[in-house]
Amino acid sequence: MFLTDLEPSQIGRIVFFKGSDEFQVRLTEMGFKPEQKIRLIRKMAFNGPIQVRIRNSTVSLRYEDAACIHIELNE
Amino acid sequence: MNNHTPLVALIGNPNAGKTALFNALTGLNHKVSNYPGVTVERRVGKAQIEGAMVNIMDLPGTYSLIPESQDEAIVADEVNKWSRMVEKPVCIISVVDSTNLNRNLYLTSQLLDLGIPVLVALNMTDLARKKSLNIDTAELQKKLGCSVVVPVAARLEEGIDDLKNAVKTILDKKPLNKYSKMVPLPEPIRKAIQPVSDWFRKQKHFHSRMAQAQALRVVSSNNNGQFEEDGLSTLIETARRTVDNLGFPHSTLEATIRYHWLDQVVPPTDINIKTKTRSERIDNILTHPVLGPVIFIGILAFIFQSVFTWATVPMDWINNGISMFGDSVSGLLPAGIVRDLTVEGIIGGAGAILVFLPQILILIFFLALLEDSGYMARLAVMMDKAMTMVGLHGRSVLPLMIGYACAIPGIMSTRTINSWRERLVTILVTPLMSCSARIPVYALMIGAFVPAKQVWGFFGLQGLTLVLMYFLGTATALVLSLLFSRWIKADHNKSFIMELPPYRVPMMKSILRQVYTRGKVFITDAGKIIMVISICLWFLASFPRNETDNRTNSDITYSYASKIGHMIEPVIQPLGFDWKIGIGLVTSFAAREVMVSTMATIYNVEGEGDKIISLTDALKNDVDPVSGKHVYTPLVALSLMVFYVYAAQCMATFAVVRRETNSWKWPLFMIVYMTGLAYFASLIVYQGGLWLGFA
């Protein structure tokens, strides 16, 4: 499943992500990496940016970008 | 910069509190104007450290030395300069947010490899304490291998003395962490990048730790064009292939390796990811799909309303003060050219501008408040979808909002936009946002010609007219960006990743500091231009003097200014403007607010006696000598305001656009499109108004 499939308050674990090199580098630099826990805070209307909680910070990503991040549900 | 003064660099993530620390260290000892919004350029201030003078350099916030946008590239460029021993600092203060230590230390780990002593300033310790995060500074220092770790709370100015002491120790003792251990590399990776490290060690004389870090960076980063020297690109290509085969995609190699190390050394704080923060609860309201936009519009309306209503009291003080000053100067000087020049030219011209200072400061105050509270970042996220639809970017919101204060810092803050097309389009439309230099023109026209009536019991008609002008500029900016983005070539699709800082109560001290700095810059910079133009204009308006016996016409009708104005008049007559406004339009090319001082000088020269006259009254009472009708009607005022919404009138803006776009093409394009727009919009307003029967 993808990060965008999470519902608010649901927690996932990152599996891997695709996208341009720059995108992948920036995500990694901001602490996105496999096994990292991530919680969806909210989605904006009309597929606007989503907000997530990761490593004690709140990060916002465009919907299209978030759809490049593969996760699995953290049970 | 003095070569003998030691340099200390401040580097950190966005929102780590670098600027607050910079302000706490330097006081008001820095020259660069401090606009609300992010730091987008390097600036240097002076600090006294135990009697020694030290230059402190503040740099834009960045997550990494591999830059993603123009502002981050400034940090990377600066660091590259140091590796060539140019303006190398004696120590780096790595500013980290202690509530998010692990992520912030990523950049620190890159800085540790530079061979410059690194002082880690653990900022926001007050917030960390509240969250009961206890950080063992001695332990952290040992694990990182940095020179020293100092806990501070920059916004509360706590720990600043400790930090200064630590800097002093480094200045006295020199490098402490110079050759400490580098982030450990897995052996196969170290081997794979070894040829590249060797190249940097031999060719660039980097010490081994820095050579290895540099190798890691060039193998990771996508910047291929940069290395054409001596087979370096071949070495890099080989290393990349080897690394890829080892199962580490080369582009994320540096980040992966550093985080692997950091996660062991400083494990991510075990705050439960389920814990909902206070900011999230605030966001439930402020970024609510329906409430959010409503609140935003409410905030904007409130700001503009207060710019007009609150400011009237101090404006009256300034107005009265200037008249009294002019009168007393007039009493002191003997009648003649010197008195006329001082009272009518200088005091009259400069005074007309000074009156608008309260409105400008109120606007700056609110912008700083929104930025400092963390609201601006939410606005970028909230508006991103809408902004992308018109060809802009979520991060275009901040430049456009700053544009309400001044287009120049607005255009500079577009450096945070990582995609060129969106950045260029934002630059092209930012000057359409009504800046504070237009306030004097709007305020003059509204004050003189829009009745101070209440509408719907709450809004003043004057305030609403002002909002209408702002709306006109903003709406046009959005429509045009849609148009421009259609024909400007896109670079490949860029991402939008933005950290949302926690909401915090704005620090009045730092906000008032911004207001103070802006006020000072406005008075000195604008003052200089206005002073020179006012004096020149006074000469043009006063000479040649009326030598005939005919006293029915006032002196100004014989002047050079009048001749110039009458030459332009045919072109601007269809817009409802007379020759006096024509002179104002010409002088406005230097800066918009000069319009008001121009009118003030012209009317003062024209007026009888030596008293400084109220410009508002002068405009209201100006009667055409031939037709006997009022020169200014509400329709003329409206046409003039619309002209100022659009017209390209600020040379400084175009100089900045030239610098930011690195070509004359775009500033010239802006001058043409804005002037054309201004002319036709005013034409439609005036002729349309006449046709509808408004005189």
Side-chain angles (χ1 to χ4, degrees), chain B residues 334-350 529-545 555-556 558-562 564 583 587 594 597-607 609-610 612:
Chain B
I337 289 184
V338 177
R339 184 168 84 180
D340 288 355
L341 171 64
T342 325
V343 177
E344 295 167 0
I346 299 175
I347 300 179
I529 305 177
I530 289 163
M531 197 74 93
V532 170
I533 291 185
S534 294
I535 294 171
C536 294
L537 197 72
W538 179 85
F539 274 106
L540 289 177
S542 303
F543 295 95
R545 303 217 131 183
D555 290 349
I556 200 166
Y558 297 90
S559 69
Y560 296 119
S562 158
I564 299 171
I583 300 170
T587 53
V594 176
S597 60
T598 301
M599 301 308 263
T601 307
I602 291 175
Y603 278 101
N604 273 305
V605 172
E606 192 184 42
D610 301 320
I612 292 197

Side-chain angles (χ1 to χ4, degrees), chain B residues 127-345:
Chain B
L127 299 178
R129 265 199 307 274
K130 264 190 209 152
K131 294 186 176 181
S132 8
L133 297 171
N134 293 311
I135 301 163
D136 184 338
T137 52
E139 172 94 355
L140 186 63
Q141 188 268 326
K142 219 170 69 197
K143 282 177 169 169
L144 288 175
C146 61
S147 298
V148 60
V149 176
V150 185
V152 293
R155 286 162 66 87
L156 308 177
E157 303 206 349
E158 274 176 30
I160 303 300
D161 287 334
D162 297 341
L163 189 70
K164 284 184 172 178
N165 284 335
V167 172
K168 179 77 170 125
T169 314
I170 292 176
L171 289 184
D172 293 343
K173 289 196 188 151
K174 295 273 150 53
L176 297 176
N177 67 335
K178 198 165 179 178
Y179 294 104
S180 54
K181 59 182 187 304
M182 148 96 194
V183 172
L185 295 174
E187 193 53 23
I189 300 224
R190 197 193 58 75
K191 265 195 191 138
I193 67 168
Q194 189 66 46
V196 185
S197 329
D198 287 342
W199 187 92
F200 278 107
R201 220 152 31 83
K202 288 186 190 123
Q203 305 292 321
K204 298 281 176 186
H205 309 288
F206 285 7
H207 60 78
S208 57
R209 176 177 184 174
M210 201 164 126
Q212 202 173 56
Q214 192 66 23
L216 191 59
R217 179 133 334 127
V218 296
V219 169
S220 300
S221 84
N222 301 300
N223 208 337
N224 294 312
Q226 232 179 318
F227 317 103
E228 286 152 2
E229 318 145 271
D230 305 342
L232 178 60
S233 0
T234 343
L235 291 180
I236 294 174
E237 271 315 307
T238 320
R240 281 181 182 167
R241 267 200 306 277
T242 323
V243 171
D244 285 341
N245 288 338
L246 287 167
F248 290 88
H250 72 262
S251 56
T252 52
L253 181 70
E254 178 177 358
T256 310
I257 296 231
R258 288 189 190 277
Y259 264 111
H260 183 72
W261 175 70
L262 272 176
D263 285 350
Q264 291 170 339
V265 176
V266 199
T269 39
D270 49 356
I271 291 182
N272 196 330
I273 192 160
K274 282 186 193 144
T275 316
K276 290 210 166 60
T277 60
R278 191 178 55 117
S279 295
E280 281 176 45
R281 286 194 293 272
I282 301 175
D283 274 339
N284 284 341
I285 300 164
L286 291 186
T287 65
H288 185 275
V290 180
L291 279 180
V294 171
I295 292 172
F296 173 51
I297 291 169
I299 291 175
L300 275 187
F302 176 78
I303 292 177
F304 292 130
Q305 192 66 20
S306 46
V307 162
F308 225 82
T309 49
W310 295 2
T312 46
V313 179
M315 284 170 78
D316 284 344
W317 297 341
I318 296 177
N319 231 338
N320 294 336
I322 290 164
S323 310
M324 272 162 57
F325 181 62
D327 289 347
S328 56
V329 171
S330 185
L332 288 175
L333 295 170
I337 289 184
V338 177
R339 184 168 84 180
D340 288 355
L341 171 64
T342 325
V343 177
E344 295 167 0

Side-chain angles (χ1 to χ4, degrees), chain A residues 9 11 17 20-33 36-39 41-51 53-65, chain B residues 63-64 66 68 72 99-100 102-103 106 222 251-252 255-256 259 263 268-269 271 273-277 280 283-284 287 289 381-382 384-385 388 393-394 492 494-500:
Chain A
S9 300
I11 296 168
F17 39 83
S20 70
D21 278 358
E22 286 150 67
F23 175 64
Q24 292 193 35
V25 170
R26 185 38 52 104
L27 275 189
T28 319
E29 286 171 344
M30 292 190 72
F32 288 66
K33 65 170 200 182
Q36 183 69 45
K37 278 187 197 169
I38 188 164
R39 170 166 62 88
I41 298 176
R42 66 169 55 77
K43 298 175 183 174
M44 292 272 174
F46 309 112
N47 287 349
I50 65 157
Q51 278 176 41
R53 189 81 185 154
I54 186 168
R55 282 185 192 248
N56 208 16
S57 62
T58 305
V59 176
S60 183
L61 298 156
R62 277 201 186 132
Y63 189 89
E64 306 85 280
D65 294 331
Chain B
Y63 292 104
S64 159
I66 300 179
E68 247 269 287
E72 295 187 348
T99 64
N100 194 1
N102 172 276
R103 216 275 320 280
Y106 176 79
N222 301 300
S251 56
T252 52
T256 310
Y259 264 111
D263 285 350
T269 39
I271 291 182
I273 192 160
K274 282 186 193 144
T275 316
K276 290 210 166 60
T277 60
E280 281 176 45
D283 274 339
N284 284 341
T287 65
V381 172
M382 218 170 18
D384 183 62
K385 195 72 195 178
T388 358
H393 190 280
H492 62 283
K494 291 288 187 86
S495 54
F496 174 80
I497 308 172
M498 189 163 177
E499 191 183 357
L500 299 179

